[in-house]
Amino acid sequence: MCIRDSHKTIHKNCIVVVHRPDTVLQPLCAEKVRSLPGSTTSLPWTIRRMSTRKSYPQFRQNTPVRRRPAGHDSSGGPSGPVAPAVRPPAESPRLVMLNKPFDVLCQFTSQDDRRTLKDYVDQPGLYPAGRLDRDSEGLLLLTNHGPWQARIADPRHKMPKTYWVQVENEAIERQLAQLRQGVDLVDGRTAPAEVNRLAEPLLWARHPPVRFRKSVPTSWLQITIREGRNRQVRRMTAAVGLPTLRLVRVAIGPWTLADLQPGSWRELDGF
């Protein structure tokens, strides 16, 4: 027979007193409870709250803590020697550069059938240092070393990133000056950028190809920024009347795309 409430469980011949700041957890048999002042002797058991310092000092006791002997397991039997924990060896920092093709997600997993980095870099433990939009191409750095990832991607380090950008219309000096000084976007004014005209570069063919409008000319710009806002270059060129048609990142800090072909990757020496 037992009675339960939110604070205690009472068995027929044993009482469990709940621990409180001024009490101690003390099991008592019913015979001892009947001998306490004020106890109800007509009941087979009674709950009494005992103070450790005031009411019933005769029931205070220092119960020794039973410890398992050294070299014994939880069942009490002897156990064998415990082997020290062995940590796996730390991985060496790695830095990899990838020429990300157009229409590839800058991640290793996808919930649909879109292409991801896993289709091109089958190296466990590597993660992108920064991002490159699905509809952008070019240089992407991957690393397994957190400090390198932060140093490359965190805008506080102001690592320069250079893009070749094909835009609609012929860029005029006024538009270039706006890009160099900073452009007002929804999330604030951009930092000054390095912007120059660029002759049409020799690049690989994009699949699918860029859609041109025969009646609208195009031009190429080289833009270097030190921020990391979402789709920043595209928004900057659109804000000055030069919508982006194609965007290729060719450099991050000291690393350049050089002759690396789309979908190919190369190991780097790191910092």
Side-chain angles (χ1 to χ4, degrees), residues 36-88:
L36 297 178
S39 64
T40 305
T41 57
S42 60
L43 295 178
W45 39 264
T46 304
I47 295 178
R48 297 291 296 173
R49 184 180 178 200
M50 300 187 307
S51 170
T52 58
R53 290 184 176 86
K54 297 180 181 179
S55 302
Y56 308 107
Q58 64 270 32
F59 291 106
R60 281 183 287 169
Q61 57 183 349
N62 296 322
T63 304
V65 178
R66 298 182 62 185
R67 301 185 181 276
R68 187 172 61 205
H72 286 66
D73 57 20
S74 58
S75 63
S79 61
V82 179
V86 178
R87 294 184 179 181

Side-chain angles (χ1 to χ4, degrees), residues 216-229:
V216 180
T218 66
S219 56
W220 284 85
L221 303 175
Q222 178 173 293
I223 301 178
T224 300
I225 62 174
R226 288 174 170 80
E227 296 179 286
R229 304 189 195 186

